[in-house]
Amino acid sequence: MRLIVMLLLLLFIAGGVVLGALNADLVGYDLAFARVQVPKGAALLAALALGWILGGLTAWLGVTTRHRRDKRRSDKAAGAKASKTP
């Protein structure tokens, strides 16, 4: 299993290197407070990484809040059941 993961990782790294090499032209970005010029490949990889991180964070927060809500409900149910028992 580790070998497959390592091979996939190397494949994606190689793809990133190729993407960066083929898109070496500079692209200018005007962010209200600064102007930045970066290669197209770097901009694409940064956007991909940012999207991946934000997507993972969103999924994690969704699962975490659901687990908290379910735990709160089960604690209330257990408390109500315990108070009814003599």
Side-chain angles (χ1 to χ4, degrees), residues 7-82:
L7 288 174
L8 275 173
L9 184 61
L10 287 174
L11 178 72
F12 280 105
I13 289 172
V17 169
V18 169
L19 182 74
L22 292 176
N23 293 297
D25 300 336
L26 291 179
V27 176
Y29 292 101
D30 187 7
L31 312 167
F33 53 88
R35 289 189 178 164
V36 180
Q37 287 202 338
V38 294
K40 282 183 194 175
L44 287 169
L45 289 174
L48 178 71
L50 183 64
W52 183 71
I53 289 169
L54 290 177
L57 183 64
T58 302
W60 177 73
L61 286 174
V63 168
T64 302
T65 54
R66 180 176 172 210
H67 282 182
R68 281 189 202 150
R69 186 176 57 239
D70 290 345
K71 183 169 173 21
R72 213 174 317 136
R73 284 182 186 161
S74 66
D75 288 348
K76 277 185 182 179
K81 189 176 183 181

